[in-house]
Amino acid sequence: MMTSSRHALAAALLVLTAATAQEQRLWSIPISTSSPQDSRVNTSPPSDLEAADDFDVHGVITRVVAQGKPCGSCITPPVSGATVRFYADQQGSVGALSYERFVPSGSDLLSYDPRFPSTVDVTLPLAFQAQGRHWVSVQLHFVGAGYWAMFRGNPNAPRLATAQVRDRVAGGPWQTPTTSTGAPLLGDLAYELWGLLPGSTGEPAVPCVTWSLLDADPIPNSLMDWLKDVKVFGLDDAWAVGDVAVQNGVSRNRLTTVLHWDGRRYSLVSSPSPGPTPSVVDCYLDAVDGTSGSDLWVGGTYKTQIAGGWVGFQVFAMHYDGSSWTIPLDLPVPTSGVGGGVSGSGIDDLVSIAPNDAWFVGDWIDIQSIGNPIQIRPGLLLHYDGSALNQTILPVVTGVGHQYFTAVDAVASNVVWLVGGAGNASSQPGSNVPVVFEFDGASWHHRPFAAPPGDVSLHDVEVVSANEVYVFGVSVDRSTVPRTTTEFMARWNGSAWTLLPAPPFALDAKMFSATEGRAVGPSIWSWDGSSWQESFDLQSAATGRLLGVDGLSACELFAVGQGTRGQGEPFVMRQDNARAWNVRTRTALLPARAPVRLAMREPPRPGHRLEVALDDPGGVALPAPATSLWFLGVLPAPVGVVLPFGGVAGGPGELLLDLSTLIYVSGPTAVPAGGAALHGVPVPTDPALLGAPLSSQGVLLGSGGGGPVYLSNALDMQLGL
C-alpha cells in the first residue's frame, strides 16, 4: 500500500522530458570469407561501384562500421571521404533510397587508416531511424584510382537476403554479385550497426540470444583459475568443474574446483586435491557428468607417485554421492618400477549413462615393460560398471603408431561415440586418419571419414541420436607455406559422413538437432542447419573465453570458462531464456543523474523473496541521516526521463521506470551509516509468473527524509527459475 507521501513523490516523478541512451551494437555480420566486394568511388578514371546488404533492426542507428580490404600491394591514393546510404527493403531486394550522407576525410565522424584503409568507421551526422528491414551501403571515395572492397560474411548462407551490387556510373540495376565464371556469390557483407534500442540504456535480455554473467562464490587464494566443463540437470541445478593455481611457499599448487548452481548463485563445493606431498599438489579437473547431483563423476589428471618412485601425471577421477567424494582405488597406473616408468596420462572427457554405466576417455601413456621401456600410446578408455573401472585398449588406427582420445558422448548404452587424434606429445607425428569410434553395446568400430588435408585432431563429439552424430575438429596441413589450418564439423547420418562448416576457434559445442546447436570459445555461435552465426563476441566485450557448455535445450544453456572479472572470480554464464530469471542494470545517460546504487541481493524467483539493496557509494546524501524508497513496476520507461531534481548536488536526475505500471512501493527505510537499506517483496509460488517482466528504481531522501531527492540506477528483471 502507498501512503500519501509516496503518492506525492510518485506523482512528482511523472514529470516527462526528453532523454537519450547509451550506444550499443544492434547488428553484426562477422568476416567469414576473404572474397571482398568492391564498394568505392574513383575520380580518375571515373568509377562508382556500390555494395549493399540488408538488416532487420528497430532502433536509432548512429554509427556504421564496415570491414573492408584495401589494395595490399598498392600505394593508397588520398581518401576524400565516405558515403553511407540506407534503402528501403522491397521484398528482399534493394528499394528506394531513404538516407544518404557524405562524411569528408578529416572529420571527427570518419575513422580509417589512410595508409591501409581496411576498417571504415562512420558516425552518422544525422542518425537513421530503423523500423525493421532496410539495406545499408558504405563507399570509400578516392582522389584518383584506389581500391577498397567490403569483406563478406556467411558465405552461401546469408542471414536475410544475399548482398547486392550495382555500377552507379553505368546506371545498371541492383543485382547479385558473381564470380569470374558467372556463378552467383551468395552471402552477406561484413559490417556492424551501432545505436540505440528504443527505451533502453542497457542491453536488454533477449531469449535464446543474449547471455548473462552469474554470481559465484569467489575462489580463495586464486592466482589464476579455470572452469573447463559444466553439467546441467535443471535451471536450478548445474555443476561446474576446473582448477585453480594457488601459492604454496615458493612454488604453486594446482587444486580442484567444483561449483554448484542452485538457481541463485554458484557455490563452492569442497573437493579433494590429492598429491604426493603437501608441497607437490597438481590436480586438474577437465570433465564432469552424471545422472544427478548425487551421482556425479569428475575426471582429469594429477601428479602422484607410482612404483619405482616415479612422480608424474596420471589418470584421476572421483565420484560425488551428494555429500562426499570417493576416489576409486582402481584408477589405472602404467607399468613402472625401478628400471622404468612413464607419466602423462589423464582423463579429458567422460559421459555417464546410468549409475552403473559411465565411460572415461583421455590419454594413456604406458611402456611395454620395465625391461623394455618403449612408450605405447593407444588412448585411454575406461568403463565403470557400478562396482569397478575396467580399461579397454582399442586398436591404434592412425597409421603412426599412437593415438589419444579427447571427447566421448552417448544417448544410450549401445550408442556411444568417442573421438581423438595423434601427435602433440613428445614431438610424435600427427595423422590424417580421423580417430573416431562407435560402440554398439557389444564392440567398438572405427568410423573414419575423408577429412581435409593435414594432421587431423578431433576435439568434440555430440550424439543427438544413433543416426545424428556430429564431430568437431581441425586439420593442419604442414606441407603448405604458411601451413593451412582448416576447422570443420562432420555429420554422421547412420551410414555416411558429410563435412560441414565449423565455428572458428570453438572449444566446445552442444547439438540438439540437425538445425539447432550452440558452440562456445572466444565467441558464442548458433547453428541453423546450414551455417554457424556468431551471436556474442566475448573478446570484443573483454569478458573472457568459454571452455564448456551444456543445457536442457537450445535456449536453456550454461557455459563456463576463464574470464577477466578478476582473480578468484569464476567465469560462469547462462543464456537468457523464457523460464529463467535475469537481471539487467540500467544506468542514466550521465552518472550524475542517478548517483545512488541499487543492487540485487536475492534474484526474482517464484516462491522466494525478491530483495534489493540501496546505498550511497558516492556519499551524495550521507553521512547525513537518509531514508529510502524502492519503486517496483512492470515496465521500464520508454526512454529515460530527465527530471529537474534527483541528481548530484540538486542537479537533474533521470527517471528510468514507467510509473504508470507501478505495482509496489517499499519504505521509507533508513539507510544505515556505511551500509545499505534493504527492500524486498515475496514472490508467489506460481508457475504462471515464469518470464514475467519487472523493473525497479530506488530513491534516497537526504536529511532524514526531508532533504533532497537522489535517484538510483534501474534494475530490469524477469521472474524465473
Side-chain angles (χ1 to χ4, degrees):
M1 174 182 287
M2 288 195 228
T3 65
S4 58
S5 61
R6 297 179 195 171
H7 274 299
L9 181 57
L13 293 175
L14 281 170
V15 177
L16 300 179
T17 54
T20 57
Q22 295 175 340
E23 182 185 76
Q24 59 187 281
R25 186 167 56 184
L26 306 179
W27 187 265
S28 175
I29 302 291
I31 299 172
S32 57
T33 176
S34 60
S35 301
Q37 189 62 54
D38 287 7
S39 194
R40 43 83 182 151
V41 178
N42 289 338
T43 59
S44 179
S47 175
D48 191 343
L49 302 176
E50 183 181 10
D53 198 9
D54 58 341
F55 62 91
D56 194 346
V57 164
H58 288 268
V60 179
I61 298 173
T62 59
R63 181 170 153 238
V64 181
V65 181
Q67 306 292 345
K69 179 182 180 180
C71 179
S73 59
C74 309
I75 298 176
T76 301
V79 173
S80 60
T83 295
V84 176
R85 297 182 182 89
F86 291 97
Y87 298 88
D89 177 73
Q90 186 175 0
Q91 297 179 340
S93 297
V94 183
L97 180 66
S98 305
Y99 175 107
E100 182 178 15
R101 290 293 186 277
F102 174 78
V103 180
S105 178
S107 168
D108 291 339
L109 302 179
L110 177 60
S111 174
Y112 65 95
D113 185 345
R115 297 165 301 174
F116 196 77
S118 52
T119 299
V120 175
D121 190 331
V122 184
T123 299
L124 302 180
L126 177 66
F128 176 73
Q129 179 70 51
Q131 297 179 338
R133 192 164 173 179
H134 304 268
W135 291 72
V136 62
S137 73
V138 177
Q139 286 181 295
L140 201 59
H141 294 246
F142 295 98
V143 179
Y147 175 82
W148 186 79
M150 288 185 67
F151 278 115
R152 301 174 63 84
N154 304 324
N156 299 315
R159 187 172 298 181
L160 297 172
T162 199
Q164 301 286 297
V165 297
R166 69 169 172 173
D167 187 333
R168 295 174 61 88
V169 171
W174 288 100
Q175 56 189 355
T176 300
T178 58
T179 65
S180 58
T181 61
L185 268 173
L186 304 180
D188 295 310
L189 302 177
Y191 66 100
E192 294 179 351
L193 301 177
W194 289 75
L196 312 172
L197 287 173
S200 174
T201 53
E203 180 196 22
V206 181
C208 302
V209 176
T210 56
W211 289 68
S212 297
L213 288 167
L214 298 176
D215 288 335
D217 287 349
I219 301 174
N221 307 314
S222 170
L223 298 174
M224 189 171 292
D225 48 85
W226 301 259
L227 291 173
K228 302 171 185 173
D229 200 11
V230 60
K231 174 64 179 179
V232 179
F233 298 113
L235 290 178
D236 57 356
D237 188 9
W239 295 78
V241 301
D243 37 81
V244 56
V246 300
Q247 197 71 36
N248 185 6
V250 296
S251 61
R252 290 186 178 185
N253 285 350
R254 187 66 72 89
L255 308 179
T256 62
T257 299
V258 179
L259 293 165
H260 177 240
W261 170 259
D262 62 1
R264 177 184 177 272
R265 67 182 291 112
Y266 273 102
S267 301
L268 280 168
V269 176
S270 179
S271 57
S273 301
T277 69
S279 61
V280 181
V281 178
D282 283 294
C283 196
Y284 297 71
L285 293 183
D286 296 305
V288 59
D289 200 22
T291 62
S292 71
S294 58
D295 176 32
L296 196 72
W297 283 97
V298 298
T301 186
Y302 76 135
K303 193 171 286 186
T304 188
Q305 188 175 37
I306 59 177
W310 298 92
V311 175
F313 286 104
Q314 304 295 347
V315 173
F316 180 71
M318 55 186 179
H319 181 266
Y320 187 66
D321 63 6
S323 60
S324 61
W325 294 94
T326 301
I327 300 174
L329 298 177
D330 54 354
L331 288 173
V333 293
T335 303
S336 65
V338 175
V342 70
S343 65
S345 298
I347 292 170
D348 286 326
D349 198 15
L350 68 98
V351 62
S352 180
I353 303 165
N356 63 348
D357 190 4
W359 293 92
F360 306 78
V361 301
D363 211 347
W364 177 249
I365 301 178
D366 204 347
I367 57 176
Q368 291 187 2
S369 67
I370 296 175
N372 184 25
I374 297 176
Q375 277 195 22
I376 56 175
R377 190 187 184 204
L380 176 73
L381 177 60
L382 296 174
H383 181 253
Y384 179 70
D385 61 8
S387 59
L389 288 168
N390 302 287
Q391 187 171 6
T392 298
I393 301 297
L394 293 180
V396 176
V397 298
T398 58
V400 293
H402 69 99
Q403 65 192 12
Y404 58 83
F405 305 139
T406 55
V408 61
D409 197 19
V411 292
S413 60
N414 62 343
V415 185
V416 186
W417 288 72
L418 68 81
V419 298
N424 303 321
S426 303
S427 300
Q428 290 179 320
S431 170
N432 186 247
V433 179
V435 177
V436 53
F437 288 89
E438 176 195 13
F439 183 67
D440 60 11
S443 57
W444 289 91
H445 307 276
H446 185 215
R447 300 295 189 201
F449 55 88
D455 295 340
V456 173
S457 175
L458 304 177
H459 56 78
D460 193 15
V461 58
E462 294 292 317
V463 182
V464 178
S465 68
N467 299 322
E468 195 77 35
V469 180
Y470 296 85
V471 301
F472 296 78
V474 60
S475 68
V476 180
D477 188 351
R478 293 177 172 82
S479 67
T480 63
V481 180
R483 66 186 186 183
T484 303
T485 299
T486 304
E487 295 179 87
F488 61 87
M489 179 174 73
R491 174 180 178 263
W492 171 261
N493 66 2
S495 60
W497 290 98
T498 303
L499 281 181
L500 298 167
F505 311 113
L507 300 173
D508 195 23
K510 182 69 175 180
M511 300 295 292
F512 296 96
S513 71
T515 59
E516 198 90 70
R518 301 290 185 269
V520 300
S523 294
I524 299 171
W525 297 270
S526 298
W527 172 254
D528 61 7
S530 60
S531 65
W532 290 93
Q533 302 288 339
E534 184 183 45
S535 57
F536 189 68
D537 184 347
L538 295 165
Q539 290 184 323
S540 295
T543 50
R545 61 174 184 154
L546 295 171
L547 305 177
V549 62
D550 190 35
L552 307 173
S553 72
C555 292
E556 296 175 319
L557 293 167
F558 290 73
V560 300
Q562 183 183 18
T564 58
R565 302 172 75 177
Q567 292 178 351
E569 294 290 327
F571 188 45
V572 285
M573 300 187 77
R574 180 176 64 184
Q575 187 178 34
D576 297 318
N577 65 77
R579 297 196 305 138
W581 65 263
N582 64 63
V583 178
R584 288 288 196 274
T585 298
R586 194 156 41 89
T587 61
L589 177 63
L590 302 177
R593 293 180 184 171
V596 180
R597 180 171 58 191
L598 181 66
M600 180 63 60
R601 279 179 56 95
E602 294 292 339
R605 297 186 292 161
H608 297 266
R609 178 177 173 81
L610 186 162
E611 189 171 271
V612 298
L614 192 64
D615 67 351
D616 180 23
V620 297
L622 299 177
T627 59
S628 63
L629 298 173
W630 177 55
F631 293 84
L632 181 64
V634 174
L635 296 173
V639 293
V641 178
V642 179
L643 305 176
F645 56 87
V648 173
E654 191 165 338
L655 180 65
L656 302 169
L657 175 66
D658 184 349
L659 292 180
S660 68
T661 69
L662 202 64
I663 58 174
Y664 182 76
V665 177
S666 171
T669 301
V671 182
L678 301 182
H679 297 268
V681 60
V683 181
T685 305
D686 183 356
L689 293 175
L690 296 179
L694 294 172
S695 187
S696 70
Q697 190 171 6
V699 174
L700 193 150
L701 306 172
S703 302
V709 174
Y710 302 96
L711 297 174
S712 78
N713 58 277
L715 292 178
D716 296 331
M717 298 168 277
Q718 175 182 289
L719 289 165
L721 300 174

